[in-house]
Amino acid sequence: MPPAPPTLKESAAYITQLGKPTAAEVLARARESGRTALQPRCGVGGHREMALLLKELETEGRPDLLTLTIDSHTRLRRFEHAARALRTDHRTLNGYPLVTHGWQRGRELNELVAVPLEIRHGSPDPRELFATAVACGITSFEGGGISYNLPYSKDVPLADSLAAWAEVDHICGELAGLGVVMDRELFGTLTAVLVPPSISLAVSVLEAVAAAAAGVRCISVSYPQSGHLAQDIAALRAVPLLAARYLPAGTDVHAVLHEFMGVFPRRRHHADDLIFYGALTARLGGASKLITKTHQEAHGIPDAAANAAGLRLAAVARSPLLDFVTVDEDAVAEELEWILRETAEIVEPVLAAPRLDTAIVTAFAAGRLDIPFSASRHARSEVIPRRDGDGAVRYHSPGRLPLSAASTARNRRLLDGPTRTGGSTTGSTGLPGADLFQALRRDIDYFPLLFGELPQDTTAPGSTTADSATSTPGKEPAL
């Protein structure tokens, strides 16, 4: 009979005695030094294979944190399905089934590497997974009641996922009382396709307010790279300002950049350019952490060598020799001003309600909160994003979001303004249905088009997008 899982107090003692830094400590050092911490995605089904993958990535890529990406069965609490897959062929799993492997094996993985581990998953109800992660001594856990529900699940009520994640956050508060600060990373990337910065940050603000009220002491706010330098830097710089505005004093908050999660270029030199560009964006935006990508993104699941190469390439952007690289600070300041304004317009009516969880559910039902391309019927998905002529993500239609007339007018003006080639967009805010669909395809295929891997006229009969599986709005985003 397997041993009983440790108590929370025993798990806290194990973490303290483990002899390695916690994720919160790594993030704090990264912010203080101005040297962005690097973390890859990785997760396979077999225990031996997972151990070898972690060790190879640590040796060859020298990350600051490592990941256990969890399989889909575990995400949906189908633990028997995960166990059956382990008995038959672990290669059918798309991640590591931690609950099924158990906390003792999880500790083996944790003790194998010198850097802290984070759990990335996508579960609307992660309570068993979180309990196992804590027993393993893992000190970073990603997700939230909105961000790990609406992008992934078709019909999980928001009230249920918010309640489940509230339990997780309350346990984080208990752990803090025992001397262990868990990093709770919020998945602001959402559907990862053309996410306007103010939507990403608004969802993270609401999840962060709930987490801090439950006692969470360390919160990471992740943001998906859009590909527009000034907009992305402004979004990252907005994180500490929003934290100061909405969170209690003493909450440790970190900005995290996910390198571009949309359609990646297929040719390696183009993919490497995009990886390096993302790392520079994180540096200039003051991100505490960067979630890296690989040159194999457009071709399927990356192997360990490509993952390590992505880490090494991103690390180059941290060199002091690149201190001369700057950004148009006036453009960043303008973007920052409007991102903060739009975010406030979205979140403040919700925060003013007596009960935050009820207000979130009600606002999503009414469309006053929304995310584009949602997989869930509990979001209206009436928001339609578009890229403007310079590639920044704007609101083609804000749906029922409570944006001011000034914010809406600015988005419309920028979408109807000059293109990067100096031409005119011919009134993009008024496109009919078929033309809008083709325009969205071009926006989603932004980087393959920019690098010339696709013909500019993707609306021609018979034309296709690169990597069509990854370019489908509403597809489950990568972790």
Side-chain angles (χ1 to χ4, degrees):
M1 191 166 181
T7 65
L8 198 64
K9 187 174 182 180
E10 290 169 339
S11 294
Y14 170 72
I15 292 168
T16 302
Q17 298 163 8
L18 193 54
K20 63 192 289 185
T22 65
E25 290 168 343
V26 168
L27 292 169
R29 286 203 298 264
R31 183 180 55 206
E32 290 161 9
S33 67
R35 185 176 182 270
T36 305
L38 302 180
Q39 178 181 347
R41 296 171 174 84
C42 61
V44 294
H47 180 68
R48 178 178 176 275
E49 289 75 13
M50 188 73 241
L52 291 172
L53 177 57
L54 290 174
K55 198 62 184 173
E56 181 174 355
L57 286 175
E58 182 175 51
T59 302
E60 300 298 327
R62 302 182 67 83
D64 300 282
L65 301 97
L66 280 164
T67 301
L68 288 184
T69 299
I70 304 302
D71 68 293
S72 294
H73 292 309
T74 302
R75 297 178 194 182
L76 298 176
R77 304 175 70 242
R78 299 193 302 229
F79 305 122
E80 286 303 318
H81 290 76
R84 190 179 307 119
L86 283 181
R87 289 193 300 267
T88 55
D89 186 356
H90 64 78
R91 292 172 298 180
T92 63
L93 293 165
N94 64 347
Y96 186 78
L98 178 63
V99 175
T100 306
H101 279 302
W103 63 274
Q104 290 174 297
R105 281 189 163 185
R107 285 191 176 187
E108 289 177 14
L109 297 178
N110 202 5
E111 293 170 10
L112 181 68
V113 293
V115 299
L117 299 178
E118 178 180 43
I119 300 294
R120 314 186 77 88
H121 49 112
S123 175
D125 183 351
R127 288 172 293 180
E128 291 92 339
L129 177 60
F130 179 71
T132 307
V134 172
C136 298
I138 293 170
T139 55
S140 184
F141 197 77
E142 185 187 39
I146 304 169
S147 60
Y148 263 9
N149 179 349
L150 300 183
Y152 291 95
S153 302
K154 183 176 182 180
D155 196 17
V156 175
L158 268 169
D160 293 351
S161 59
L162 290 168
W165 279 92
E167 291 188 32
V168 167
D169 289 335
H170 278 291
I171 295 172
C172 289
E174 293 180 43
L175 281 167
L178 294 169
V180 173
V181 175
M182 291 284 292
D183 168 50
R184 281 280 292 106
E185 183 176 330
L186 310 178
F187 192 63
T189 47
L190 301 172
T191 46
V193 178
L194 301 179
V195 179
S198 54
I199 286 182
S200 169
L201 293 169
V203 168
S204 289
V205 165
L206 295 173
E207 291 184 339
V209 169
V216 174
R217 298 266 299 277
C218 179
I219 296 173
S220 295
V221 175
S222 66
Y223 165 79
Q225 181 187 2
S226 73
H228 185 275
L229 186 65
Q231 187 177 59
D232 289 338
I233 290 171
L236 292 170
R237 293 182 183 178
V239 170
L241 300 177
L242 292 168
R245 181 182 296 179
Y246 297 115
L247 297 181
T251 309
D252 201 17
V253 178
H254 299 277
V256 175
L257 180 68
H258 282 248
E259 289 200 308
F260 188 68
M261 295 178 70
V263 182
F264 235 70
R266 301 185 71 84
R267 296 173 187 164
R268 176 164 183 174
H269 60 293
H270 294 154
D272 283 347
D273 286 352
L274 183 50
I275 291 166
F276 186 69
Y277 180 51
L280 278 178
T281 302
R283 172 182 177 148
L284 292 167
S288 297
K289 185 173 74 171
L290 175 71
I291 307 297
T292 59
K293 283 284 193 175
T294 80
H295 64 84
Q296 294 178 344
E297 297 298 325
H299 303 280
I301 298 174
D303 59 29
N307 227 332
L311 283 163
R312 293 194 298 269
L313 177 56
V316 175
R318 304 187 298 193
S319 169
L321 296 177
L322 297 177
D323 285 347
F324 69 91
V325 178
T326 58
V327 64
D328 183 342
E329 291 292 346
D330 289 340
V332 172
E334 181 182 355
E335 290 291 337
L336 178 58
E337 176 187 351
W338 284 96
I339 287 171
L340 292 171
R341 178 171 181 165
E342 290 178 0
T343 304
E345 290 169 354
I346 295 169
V347 302
E348 289 184 357
V350 183
L351 293 173
R355 279 197 53 167
L356 181 58
D357 55 350
T358 303
I360 289 171
V361 173
T362 302
F364 270 107
R368 295 190 302 274
L369 289 174
D370 204 359
I371 63 174
F373 312 133
S374 173
S376 173
R377 64 184 60 187
H378 299 285
R380 288 181 173 271
S381 289
E382 293 174 345
V383 171
I384 301 175
R386 284 291 320 280
R387 290 189 184 274
D388 68 15
D390 287 327
V393 178
R394 309 294 182 193
Y395 291 97
H396 171 84
S397 170
R400 307 184 195 202
L401 295 178
L403 295 182
S404 66
S407 294
T408 302
R410 177 177 182 265
N411 278 270
R412 183 180 301 113
R413 183 176 68 254
L414 291 169
L415 285 173
D416 285 339
T419 67
R420 64 169 48 250
T421 56
S424 172
T425 60
T426 66
S428 64
T429 53
L431 293 172
D435 290 344
L436 177 58
F437 177 77
Q438 296 297 345
L440 285 168
R441 277 181 49 177
R442 289 194 299 272
D443 289 344
I444 290 168
D445 285 334
Y446 180 70
F447 281 107
L449 283 167
L450 185 69
F451 285 115
E453 294 187 4
L454 290 174
Q456 287 294 323
D457 184 12
T458 57
T459 64
S463 65
T464 58
T465 58
D467 194 17
S468 59
T470 30
S471 68
T472 304
K475 178 184 176 287
E476 178 179 293
L479 295 171

